[in-house]
Amino acid sequence: MAKRVVVDPITRIEGHLRIEVEVENGRIKDAVSSAQMWRGLENIIIGRKADDAWMFAQRTCGVCTTVHAIASVRSVENALKLEIPYNAQMVRNLIIASHALQDHIVHFYHLSALDWVDIVSALKADPKKAAAIADSYQNWKLNGDSVFRAVQEKLKKFVASGQLGIFATGYWGHPAMILPPEVNLIAVTHYLQALDFQRKACQAIAILGGKNPHIQNLAVGGVSTAINPDNVATLNMERLEYIKTLLDDVRDFVQNCYLPDVIAIASFYKDWLAYGKTGEYYLAVPELPQDTKGETFDLPGGTVINNKVTPIKSFYDPYFINNVYENITHAWYDGDWTRHPWEEETVPKYTGLKPDGTVDENGKYSWSKAPRFKVNGEYVPMEVGPLSQVLAGYLQGHKLTRKWADYALNQLSSMAGTKVTIENLKSTPGRHLARAIRAAMMADLAMKQWEQLVDNIGRGDLEIFNPPSYPQGEIRGCGFHEAPRGVLSHWSVVHNGGIMKNYQEVVPSTWNAGPRDSKGQRGPYETALIGNPVVEPEKPLEVLRTVHSFDPCIACAVHMIDPEGKEIVKVKAL
Amino acid sequence: MDRNMFTGGFPGTISRRGFLRACAIATAAMGLPMEMVSKVAEAAEDPKRPRVVWLHFQECTGCSESLLRASHPDLAALILDLIDLQYHETLMAGAGPQAEEAFEKAIEEPNYILVVEGSIPTGDYEDFCMIGGHSAMHNLKRAAKNALAIINIGTCSAYGGIPAARPNPTKAVGTGDIIKDKPIVNVPGCPPNPYNFLSTVLYFLTFKKLPPTDIYGRPLFGYGRRIHDQCERRPHFDEGRYVEQFGDEGHRLGYCLYKMGCKAPETFSNCSIIRFNDVEVWPVSVGNGCYGCTEPNFWDTMTPFHERLPGISLPVNGGIIANATDIGKKALGITAAALAIHAGIGVAKSLAKGKKEEE
């Protein structure tokens, strides 16, 4: 008999998310994803000055901080057909790359690792053995038995205090946790070290953006980061060298610790390469523009449908701009339509849970709309995120993607003792691996952007801003950005000389976490969970693994019910 | 807002070890006398870490994220050595039923610090933020009941923040509009500087009371002075040297950003003093004006962000330079007079421009 399991809140994510799955014979048979919070930011932006929209839009998320700001200014610049100076593009690129590094590091170590790593088991590890294991798969300067011993001592003291805080509720000793104690100790040690390196990535952003989270150096038309190598109050050589030092350190960590750690942990969990696939529809947009118009990019994008790539080529590419839609059949908004973002309206209509305390997947059940991409006249769900971007780059023969993906796949094949291919990335651990591959690329690309910026300043170009000039009539723009969680697009309709008439955000977590659509097609989370094992329904660890692999940006919950809806089992901790 | 709610004393005492170094740094940040360090040492003898329950409502998690950026103490020290963080959705290991149980258990035993991140939707919109099937309002009221004190981290929980910006689609409010019988301190900012939050926690742990606050519930150590009065670009304001557009010569020379819409003259915070991310920056230092994010309702009162604040008097009669050169004239004669003319032209030009813009 199937049971419906409700998990709410889903923790270690941004925001409020609830997941309900039906479990039968130890496997997930069906899944429902429901976003649980609405603020109405789009409606707050309407009627305000287009110049200010990015400041508001950035508050869509403080985890994906910077990314909404970037997509927002791009949407207004796109409407104005406004180019930005080369320096502004490079400053933004440096922020984009640095933020991606910080975000990927935190996502793996602090928001996901505890799904795979058993802290309690680390107490039993032999630090010397741990050091030998770590050295066998990575060349990382902060390994060593004294390091591992010190962390273990700290952990022992912490546990002895009896005040376990946020670690009190972990799934320690869960039968699905299979890492040896030494690997657990390595991972916990790097959990703590990662805090330092993600901070350095933020510092690079802050030097350019004034602070972080929530940078304050953008403007429609460029950036407000003053550049002058001959002044103490501006971006000068001291500041630029500081950024380089920080990013060098972060690159070292990402390429020599983070990526090898993900490969090593995945090698123990190779069975999971069979779980978590969403299908054959992936979407990524190009990123790190290399010119002032947004026509050439360092990272390629496109759709990947049945392994066939259709590239997205510029900020103005109609293939993207004309084919994004959102459906609200199952979302808590008034009406039942599929519309292009410029034509959307946002009228909340909350209908709550069913009397039995579960969501109604036959009715409206989430604050997330269901984004769909129009392919041959059909509206289809697409998975977005690093996996999509790595697939799009790899299949287009993008050199840097091939370099790091091939390294990771070869290394994993050899450690797991089985051939792992690009196809295996379409899975729960594959998503983590794709994210680490993307981080390794971003670390190289961050340095490239830095060199280009410094070279350009060296040529005497200090331009950072082209002032916008708003026409009286109505203009429409789309700003897209390949954010750490995937394709982000902001859609602006501007009128009356610079006033926002409509504003819509189609965000990565909406693509992935969205509900069913008018045709009953599930969103990617919902699809990816089907077929996953659940060993102990009372401890839904496996549900977290797959949901976390997407790096959700909303709060979530999981619970279990009977497929006929007869029996609801409220899962309680043991 | 009721002023008294911010100034209540504390019924219990709490303390814990291991925060001596952090407190010494915090002492400086709070501008307190160094005698405080002995109080810290005293507090450090009690091994029990204070319990903290952290709730997320209508938020973007930017405030929690800001703590990831802190280094003294860093997040690891905070959660392993300084506090006993019993519930925090972004960081805690367990989810769903395990998280719900942790919440119930945490709020059962009284006298924890309640930290709130995010605003609370009210009225017809109460169910627009749900956690484990309960509304934000429901969870806040339950968690506040046994709390020793409430610390609002960020402008959303302090004053409603961005969800409460016009037209406030969910009738969002801060905790002070709902909870009236508990001491509350607000640490606003979007997000706040993490050191203002950490210093508030350390102040409380050390002195067993919340820090004194202004009428908006903000600790005086962090928000007691206007940014404009402690800005490194203030001399440029006084001397009439302004940035007229991003990227212009004035911008490249680090001039005052007032004409670019800087809101520092009406904003109270220590941004320019403690700065951000441990790399000696704040928005003004990189070339962007202050947006006033520590002020209640700043999303409505400080926008449009790039338009000048009304009613701010620009320096008259040549400002400080003119006064200084009046004195200087006596000593330097003709050179000083030339300086005065130069400064006078700058100010006259600024005033003329300002007038034109206002018309």
Side-chain angles (χ1 to χ4, degrees), chain A residues 7-9 11-16 18 36-41 43-44 48-49 52 54-56 59-63 65 102 106 111 114 154 158 161 163 165-167 169-172 192 195 198-199 202-203 206-214 216-219 223-228 231 233-234 239 242 348 350 367 462 464-465 467 538-540 544 570-573, chain B residues 17 47-49 51 56-62 65-66 68-71 74-76 79-81 84-102 127-133 162-163 165-170 190-191 233 245-247 251-254 276-283 285-291 299-300 303-307:
Chain A
V7 186
D8 183 359
T11 54
R12 282 183 282 126
I13 66 167
E14 188 282 331
H16 304 282
R18 173 188 187 96
Q36 293 281 302
M37 188 262 279
W38 189 79
R39 291 174 294 167
L41 276 195
N43 291 351
I44 290 167
R48 294 179 190 265
K49 287 195 79 167
D52 282 352
W54 70 271
M55 266 289 284
F56 286 81
R59 271 66 185 182
T60 302
C61 183
V63 175
T65 179
Q102 187 264 347
V106 170
L111 303 182
L114 301 182
K154 193 175 179 75
F158 179 72
S161 78
Q163 292 185 287
I166 55 169
F167 302 109
T169 56
Y171 301 98
W172 323 130
L192 296 172
L195 285 168
Q198 62 86 30
R199 185 186 307 120
C202 294
Q203 289 176 321
I207 291 171
L208 298 164
K211 66 186 176 73
N212 181 270
H214 295 333
Q216 202 158 315
N217 71 318
L218 295 186
V223 295
S224 60
T225 311
I227 299 177
N228 183 354
N231 195 283
T234 55
R239 300 271 89 186
Y242 200 163
Y350 185 67
W367 283 113
L462 306 180
I464 52 166
F465 178 67
E538 305 79 19
K539 291 183 173 178
L544 294 180
K570 184 72 179 172
V571 179
K572 279 290 166 198
Chain B
R17 65 184 171 184
K48 197 164 160 56
R49 302 195 304 277
R51 290 176 302 123
H56 291 82
F57 297 136
Q58 285 178 301
E59 43 99 55
C60 73
T61 315
E65 277 278 329
S66 77
L68 276 171
R69 277 74 164 164
S71 66
D74 69 10
L75 189 70
I79 60 183
L80 295 176
D81 303 328
D84 182 10
L85 187 56
Q86 299 209 317
Y87 184 88
H88 187 292
E89 283 161 31
T90 317
L91 293 169
M92 65 194 297
Q98 284 74 30
E100 288 181 279
E101 194 196 37
D127 293 342
F128 279 40
C129 177
M130 302 288 283
I131 304 104
I162 194 167
R166 198 174 54 239
N168 193 350
T170 58
C190 192
R233 297 191 183 208
Q245 183 173 292
F246 294 136
H251 198 226
R252 294 204 285 260
L253 292 171
F276 289 85
N277 301 80
D278 300 339
V279 284
E280 294 299 311
V281 297
W282 64 298
S285 77
V286 305
N288 200 92
C290 160
Y291 288 162
W299 291 106
D300 292 327
T303 48
F305 286 121
H306 291 168
E307 283 182 18

Side-chain angles (χ1 to χ4, degrees), chain B:
Chain B
M1 216 172 287
D2 179 8
R3 194 196 155 104
N4 291 331
M5 66 192 239
F6 300 118
T7 51
F10 285 88
T13 61
I14 44 172
S15 58
R16 78 289 171 275
R17 65 184 171 184
F19 67 121
L20 184 58
R21 193 178 68 89
C23 254
I25 298 165
T27 308
M30 293 185 280
L32 291 166
M34 290 313 280
E35 291 89 85
M36 189 189 125
V37 176
S38 64
K39 280 191 165 280
V40 173
E42 202 181 302
E45 282 167 15
D46 186 339
K48 197 164 160 56
R49 302 195 304 277
R51 290 176 302 123
V52 174
V53 175
W54 191 305
L55 300 182
H56 291 82
F57 297 136
Q58 285 178 301
E59 43 99 55
C60 73
T61 315
C63 301
S64 282
E65 277 278 329
S66 77
L67 278 190
L68 276 171
R69 277 74 164 164
S71 66
H72 52 270
D74 69 10
L75 189 70
L78 185 74
I79 60 183
L80 295 176
D81 303 328
L82 298 183
I83 62 170
D84 182 10
L85 187 56
Q86 299 209 317
Y87 184 88
H88 187 292
E89 283 161 31
T90 317
L91 293 169
M92 65 194 297
Q98 284 74 30
E100 288 181 279
E101 194 196 37
F103 177 63
E104 294 299 329
K105 215 174 134 195
I107 63 172
E108 204 171 89
E109 192 186 335
N111 295 341
Y112 44 85
I113 300 173
L114 177 63
V115 178
V116 181
E117 181 173 351
S119 58
I120 301 98
T122 66
D124 291 345
Y125 304 93
E126 207 181 301
D127 293 342
F128 279 40
C129 177
M130 302 288 283
I131 304 104
H134 299 294
S135 69
M137 177 76 82
H138 175 91
N139 280 6
L140 172 64
K141 283 182 175 167
R142 289 194 61 214
K145 196 165 170 274
N146 282 336
L148 194 57
I150 298 174
I151 302 177
N152 289 321
I153 183 166
T155 303
C156 291
S157 58
Y159 314 120
I162 194 167
R166 198 174 54 239
N168 193 350
T170 58
K171 290 195 168 35
V173 300
T175 61
D177 288 318
I178 295 165
I179 306 299
K180 303 287 187 188
D181 58 350
K182 291 284 172 181
I184 296 180
V185 65
N186 292 326
V187 185
C190 192
N193 193 308
Y195 296 119
N196 285 338
F197 172 77
L198 291 165
S199 295
T200 302
V201 174
L202 294 171
Y203 192 108
F204 179 48
L205 299 179
T206 307
F207 297 123
K208 283 83 174 172
K209 63 179 181 186
L210 287 177
T213 64
D214 69 2
I215 57 163
Y216 297 122
R218 303 177 291 197
L220 292 175
F221 70 76
Y223 304 86
R225 289 178 65 191
R226 282 200 310 173
I227 289 183
H228 188 53
D229 296 342
Q230 40 191 347
C231 174
E232 72 260 26
R233 297 191 183 208
R234 179 61 185 266
H236 292 300
F237 176 87
D238 291 340
E239 294 164 17
R241 294 195 291 252
Y242 303 102
V243 178
E244 306 281 346
Q245 183 173 292
F246 294 136
D248 70 6
E249 198 192 348
H251 198 226
R252 294 204 285 260
L253 292 171
Y255 286 179
C256 174
L257 291 155
Y258 167 70
K259 288 189 175 180
M260 300 306 297
C262 183
K263 304 301 188 285
E266 290 187 359
T267 302
F268 287 75
S269 188
N270 54 357
C271 302
S272 67
I273 306 296
I274 56 170
R275 308 201 165 213
F276 289 85
N277 301 80
D278 300 339
V279 284
E280 294 299 311
V281 297
W282 64 298
V284 167
S285 77
V286 305
N288 200 92
C290 160
Y291 288 162
C293 74
T294 56
E295 297 302 306
N297 309 318
F298 80 96
W299 291 106
D300 292 327
T301 59
M302 299 295 190
T303 48
F305 286 121
H306 291 168
E307 283 182 18
R308 294 166 55 175
L309 279 173
I312 301 296
S313 323
L314 288 175
V316 291
N317 301 328
I320 286 173
I321 282 266
N323 292 337
T325 48
D326 277 345
I327 301 159
K329 261 180 209 166
K330 289 166 198 161
L332 298 170
I334 192 126
T335 315
L339 268 176
I341 290 163
H342 176 77
I345 289 167
V347 172
K349 210 172 142 192
S350 318
L351 284 170
K353 270 211 156 187
K355 231 178 204 172
K356 208 176 162 192
E357 278 164 20
E358 277 153 20
E359 276 162 13

Side-chain angles (χ1 to χ4, degrees), chain A residues 50-283:
Chain A
D51 277 346
D52 282 352
W54 70 271
M55 266 289 284
F56 286 81
Q58 185 170 210
R59 271 66 185 182
T60 302
C61 183
V63 175
C64 324
T65 179
T66 79
V67 312
H68 293 280
I70 298 270
S72 182
V73 288
R74 283 180 179 173
S75 80
V76 180
E77 287 157 2
N78 185 265
L80 292 165
K81 298 191 170 56
L82 178 64
E83 287 179 46
I84 64 169
Y86 184 81
N87 284 332
Q89 204 72 282
M90 290 307 119
V91 167
R92 288 183 188 180
N93 284 355
L94 264 176
I95 288 173
I96 288 166
S98 306
H99 173 69
L101 292 168
Q102 187 264 347
D103 198 278
H104 293 333
I105 293 169
V106 170
H107 176 256
F108 179 68
Y109 287 103
H110 309 109
L111 303 182
S112 300
L114 301 182
D115 297 343
W116 312 90
V117 171
D118 187 332
I119 294 185
V120 175
S121 153
L123 295 173
K124 293 181 293 200
D126 173 356
K128 214 169 179 170
K129 212 168 136 194
I133 292 173
D135 288 346
S136 75
Y137 73 82
Q138 64 187 179
N139 178 22
W140 173 233
K141 63 187 179 190
L142 297 180
N143 284 338
D145 52 350
S146 61
V147 175
F148 294 126
R149 184 167 289 113
V151 169
Q152 196 182 43
E153 286 307 312
K154 193 175 179 75
L155 267 186
K156 281 180 178 164
K157 217 167 136 189
F158 179 72
V159 171
S161 78
Q163 292 185 287
L164 299 182
I166 55 169
F167 302 109
T169 56
Y171 301 98
W172 323 130
H174 192 288
M177 292 281 203
I178 58 167
L179 295 182
E182 284 73 23
V183 178
N184 284 316
L185 180 58
I186 294 167
V188 173
T189 304
H190 295 164
Y191 174 107
L192 296 172
Q193 291 175 359
L195 285 168
D196 288 337
F197 292 93
Q198 62 86 30
R199 185 186 307 120
K200 286 172 191 271
C202 294
Q203 289 176 321
I205 298 168
I207 291 171
L208 298 164
K211 66 186 176 73
N212 181 270
H214 295 333
I215 53 171
Q216 202 158 315
N217 71 318
L218 295 186
V220 173
V223 295
S224 60
T225 311
I227 299 177
N228 183 354
D230 304 314
N231 195 283
V232 291
T234 55
L235 191 64
N236 53 32
M237 274 327 291
E238 181 272 328
R239 300 271 89 186
L240 286 163
E241 283 300 326
Y242 200 163
I243 292 170
K244 184 171 189 297
T245 307
L246 292 163
L247 292 180
D248 270 336
D249 265 9
V250 178
R251 175 161 70 173
D252 189 14
F253 178 76
V254 165
Q255 296 179 347
N256 295 318
C257 185
Y258 166 35
L259 178 58
D261 273 355
V262 177
I263 294 167
I265 291 172
S267 75
F268 285 94
Y269 286 104
K270 60 186 173 191
D271 291 355
W272 270 82
L273 291 168
Y275 304 125
K277 183 175 175 175
T278 62
E280 294 299 345
Y281 290 83
Y282 300 89
L283 172 67

